[in-house]
Amino acid sequence: MAACWVRLALVTVCLLPCRAQAAGKYSREKNEGTATGKGAIEFRIAKLNQVWEKAQRLQFSPVKLAELHSDLKIQEKDELNWKKLKADGLDEDGEKEAKLRRNFNVILTKYRLDGRKDAVPMDTNYLKDSMDSENDVFEDPKLEKLWNKATTSGKFNNDEVRKLRREFQHHQDKIQEYHILRETVSRNEDIYQNAISPSEAHVKEDLLHSKHAELKDKHRNVQASFERLRKLIHQGYDEDSEFSEPRVLELWDMAKRSNFTEDELDSIKEELKHFETKIEKHQHYQEQLDLSHQKLKHVETIGDKEHLSRNKEKYAMLTEKTKELGYKVKKHMQDLLARLSKGGLNHNEL
């Protein structure tokens, strides 16, 4: 009888580690990505989570984190859609995969998360402060020269100067995006060429043609944007213009240059009004998020637990709302550009 109890005890001891291991493997915390206490996993793709966690470690400002989150969400959606296409054999030449890789590299470089030694957090508060300075300089010499011409012309009042500065900054962002894409394409060109066997030469040519066509589109877009700024400096703002947001003005100019009918332009104008409202709402939440962050830091120094709890709740709410609106604005902009560039709109989408 004693021998039976000994054997039972040994079996129980042996089973305990197995149960512990199973609990670790199948626990709710593991499956929901909260086993380490860091909260739910933000993205379904591992490399996107790594980028997100790195940005948090670098202590990006709340608004910049929200901007990065929007870009990563769009990247995630595109990559998940691509996986479905690949499973159905609809990306045989690898063109969509190559574009996804380029887009991901653009995100890394844009936020300086590409592993270079000069990578530093891009603090939105710093960028905003520098934008308000009268002495700030645009990186592109042609843009800086045009800006000096605008500010010394006497054509623009204070409100128009602020609006104009947003347009110039938007153009500078486009220049940066173009240069990042050009560098990425150049860096990966040899990889694509060497990775494809000689028997697939036609596929190689299609890939290279696609990459360079994308670059040309970006370059044309930058040129058109600069020409618009040059014309604006010469003529001043149209007082009858129905839009004030740079991205919306750009889309409206793009629509007017296309061969749309009057009815189609009216339909586009209505959608752009909704889009501008969405952008303004997003900008409002960005400002509120910045203020909430500053207030939260102040309350933390005071040590008032009740106020701290309330401010943390408000900050969390504003963070999520800013992320959500940022994603919607960028996705809407992406969709509008794609549809307008084709020279027509699906009016069921309006």
Side-chain angles (χ1 to χ4, degrees), residues 17-65:
C18 298
R19 289 182 179 178
Q21 186 177 2
K25 183 176 181 181
Y26 298 107
S27 66
R28 180 190 300 178
E29 288 79 12
K30 280 283 185 182
N31 287 319
E32 293 182 357
T34 57
T36 59
K38 292 182 180 179
I41 292 175
E42 197 73 28
F43 301 98
R44 293 164 63 184
I45 298 174
K47 67 179 181 181
L48 302 184
N49 268 313
Q50 290 170 359
V51 171
W52 179 245
E53 289 167 6
K54 183 175 181 179
Q56 290 176 311
R57 288 196 304 272
L58 288 172
Q59 297 182 336
F60 279 25
S61 69
V63 171
K64 205 65 192 176
L65 275 176

Side-chain angles (χ1 to χ4, degrees), residues 160-299:
E160 288 174 333
V161 168
R162 281 193 290 271
K163 182 165 49 169
L164 189 62
R165 181 173 287 283
R166 289 204 307 272
E167 297 215 40
F168 270 68
Q169 185 61 43
H170 179 55
H171 179 76
Q172 181 162 281
D173 291 343
K174 295 175 85 163
I175 294 173
Q176 181 193 27
E177 185 179 335
Y178 167 73
H179 285 307
I180 290 170
L181 181 61
R182 187 176 66 178
E183 182 184 346
T184 303
V185 169
S186 176
R187 196 165 55 228
N188 290 339
E189 197 162 29
D190 290 338
I191 297 173
Y192 292 124
Q193 287 178 332
N194 296 330
I196 300 173
S197 65
S199 61
E200 296 176 306
H202 66 286
V203 176
K204 180 197 301 184
E205 288 178 8
D206 289 343
L207 276 172
L208 293 175
H209 176 75
S210 170
K211 289 188 292 178
H212 288 291
E214 186 179 356
L215 265 179
K216 284 181 180 178
D217 285 342
K218 289 279 185 188
H219 189 251
R220 278 195 296 267
N221 190 251
V222 168
Q223 287 180 314
S225 176
F226 184 81
E227 181 58 28
R228 183 189 179 282
L229 286 177
R230 194 190 62 76
K231 185 178 177 181
L232 182 60
I233 300 308
H234 178 67
Q235 297 179 350
Y237 276 105
D238 180 4
E239 294 181 1
D240 298 326
S241 176
E242 299 190 47
F243 305 111
S244 60
E245 215 290 327
R247 283 167 286 185
V248 181
L249 284 165
E250 179 188 340
L251 290 168
W252 180 234
D253 284 346
M254 187 177 174
K256 289 189 292 186
R257 289 195 304 268
S258 302
N259 297 319
F260 291 111
T261 66
E262 287 299 319
D263 287 343
E264 286 174 328
L265 283 174
D266 287 341
S267 182
I268 293 167
K269 186 185 290 185
E270 283 304 309
E271 180 168 8
L272 290 179
K273 286 179 181 177
H274 292 303
F275 182 48
E276 187 167 58
T277 301
K278 189 182 291 184
I279 291 173
E280 289 169 353
K281 187 175 180 182
H282 179 227
Q283 288 172 342
H284 169 74
Y285 272 95
Q286 283 183 319
E287 291 167 4
Q288 293 301 308
L289 180 60
D290 264 338
L291 291 172
S292 177
H293 184 239
Q294 293 166 19
K295 189 173 181 181
L296 182 60
K297 287 195 294 185
H298 175 68
V299 173

Side-chain angles (χ1 to χ4, degrees), residues 112-125:
R112 304 181 190 179
L113 294 167
D114 52 357
R116 296 185 181 183
K117 291 181 180 180
D118 60 349
V120 294
M122 295 179 66
D123 192 299
T124 302
N125 293 325

Side-chain angles (χ1 to χ4, degrees), residues 126-178:
Y126 167 75
L127 292 175
K128 189 166 64 178
D129 290 343
S130 67
M131 284 284 291
D132 292 335
S133 169
E134 294 181 359
N135 300 318
D136 66 336
V137 177
F138 291 100
E139 294 174 5
D140 183 72
K142 286 170 60 181
L143 198 59
E144 177 63 16
K145 184 178 178 180
L146 195 62
W147 174 250
N148 289 333
K149 184 178 179 181
T151 52
T152 56
S153 67
K155 287 183 181 179
F156 305 97
N157 60 37
N158 290 339
D159 288 339
E160 288 174 333
V161 168
R162 281 193 290 271
K163 182 165 49 169
L164 189 62
R165 181 173 287 283
R166 289 204 307 272
E167 297 215 40
F168 270 68
Q169 185 61 43
H170 179 55
H171 179 76
Q172 181 162 281
D173 291 343
K174 295 175 85 163
I175 294 173
Q176 181 193 27
E177 185 179 335
Y178 167 73

Side-chain angles (χ1 to χ4, degrees), residues 292-339:
S292 177
H293 184 239
Q294 293 166 19
K295 189 173 181 181
L296 182 60
K297 287 195 294 185
H298 175 68
V299 173
E300 282 176 339
T301 60
I302 297 173
D304 186 327
K305 290 185 179 180
E306 184 180 344
H307 280 79
L308 183 61
S309 177
R310 284 204 301 268
N311 277 275
K312 279 185 176 179
E313 287 178 10
K314 183 178 181 179
Y315 177 70
M317 181 274 290
L318 288 169
T319 298
E320 289 307 309
K321 193 66 179 178
T322 304
K323 286 180 186 176
E324 177 190 346
L325 287 169
Y327 171 78
K328 287 180 178 179
V329 165
K330 290 191 176 185
K331 191 68 178 69
H332 199 167
M333 179 76 180
Q334 190 182 65
D335 292 343
L336 283 166
L337 276 171
R339 287 150 57 193

